[in-house]
Amino acid sequence: MSLPITRPTWNALVKANKEAGWAQPGVFATGIGRRYRPGAPASVLYVGMSAGPKAESVGSGLTQLDSSKASRDWMIRRENRRSPFWQFIERISPDRMDIAWTNVCKMDRLEVSSGDAGPPSPKQWPMIAGPCLQALSEEISCLAPALILFATSRFRAEIKNLLAEHSFLKSRTLGDGHTTIFRSANGRSAITTRHPGYWRRMQLARDEQIVAAAVLNCLSGK
């Protein structure tokens, strides 16, 4: 499978990473499970915010091939099995081999104090938003997932615009009031929802069940 992010876009990400000043060195690249097949009925592109405090352990680099391999290897080693983000997707792919994993933001803040690592601040994000969103658009095109699952909480406006560019139209909002299903003319689906960590912190087990059921329904064509 070819790398999903084009060379010009990857170079723009590397340039933005080096010039940001606040970013951890290295650019996150797509982690693609070994059984993932573009366009397959069960193919899922799982989208988070950014690698966050785990960016260094994931192994993001400046070469897309190396960075993508590092993301895939970290994903399937399941060292982060206690994470609500990963526990949720394991309902769909227990060994994570059938999914591709990416993030809206392809880089993270330097950890200058305890708990400071993570996605860029609202003031920092515009500095890198352009190439990050272009990369995500290319990942969607190349990977052709049957379902794109955005479990992000943030970047709602950007995600909605990106889905519109790929001809996804809003279908309905679920009973939790925060999760929306989008459909495309070619039968593909997208879901935007909150980060699974929020459900656990707020003890919203019912909301988690609602979203899990929606994911399974989308993959079964309902």
Side-chain angles (χ1 to χ4, degrees):
M1 183 185 302
S2 60
L3 294 170
I5 302 173
T6 63
R7 183 174 297 178
T9 300
W10 182 262
N11 290 341
L13 286 167
V14 170
K15 183 174 184 288
N17 180 254
K18 291 179 177 179
E19 294 179 350
W22 48 262
Q24 294 186 34
V27 177
F28 175 88
T30 331
I32 304 172
R34 290 191 175 93
R35 290 197 302 269
Y36 185 92
R37 297 294 180 269
S43 55
V44 177
L45 177 60
Y46 194 37
V47 188
M49 290 186 289
S50 67
K54 298 292 185 181
E56 289 186 4
S57 61
V58 170
S60 298
L62 297 179
T63 302
Q64 186 178 180
L65 179 62
D66 293 341
S67 191
S68 181
K69 182 179 183 300
S71 296
R72 182 200 66 199
D73 291 349
W74 186 84
M75 174 177 76
I76 63 178
R77 282 199 305 268
R78 300 180 65 245
E79 294 177 1
N80 53 344
R81 59 178 59 93
R82 294 183 179 180
S83 161
F85 179 85
W86 287 105
Q87 287 177 353
F88 182 74
I89 200 61
E90 285 178 354
R91 292 170 175 245
I92 313 304
S93 179
D95 62 5
R96 309 177 187 176
M97 290 287 195
D98 301 292
I99 68 167
W101 164 48
T102 192
N103 292 296
V104 177
C105 181
K106 309 300 186 188
M107 58 198 77
D108 299 279
R109 295 195 308 269
L110 286 165
E111 186 169 4
V112 295
S113 61
S114 179
D116 192 51
S121 71
K123 289 185 178 180
Q124 294 167 338
W125 169 240
M127 300 172 59
I128 62 169
C132 284
L133 294 172
Q134 178 61 33
L136 181 54
S137 180
E138 293 172 1
E139 289 171 308
I140 291 172
S141 295
C142 180
L143 295 170
L147 171 66
I148 313 168
L149 177 56
F150 294 91
T152 60
S153 296
R154 286 184 62 183
F155 309 118
R156 286 299 183 94
E158 293 93 328
I159 291 170
K160 184 178 179 180
N161 291 336
L162 184 63
L163 287 174
E165 291 173 6
H166 286 266
S167 301
F168 283 87
L169 299 176
K170 181 179 176 179
S171 174
R172 62 190 175 97
T173 298
L174 300 186
D176 66 344
H178 294 273
T179 301
T180 303
I181 297 176
F182 297 79
R183 305 280 191 183
S184 70
N186 61 6
R188 295 162 62 192
S189 302
I191 296 177
T192 61
T193 192
R194 293 183 288 193
H195 191 284
Y198 179 84
W199 300 324
R200 302 294 175 87
R201 288 195 305 273
M202 304 301 292
Q203 298 182 328
L204 298 175
R206 177 178 173 273
D207 287 0
E208 185 173 356
Q209 292 292 346
I210 287 173
V211 179
V215 170
L216 293 172
N217 284 339
C218 285
L219 290 174
S220 64
K222 295 181 182 179

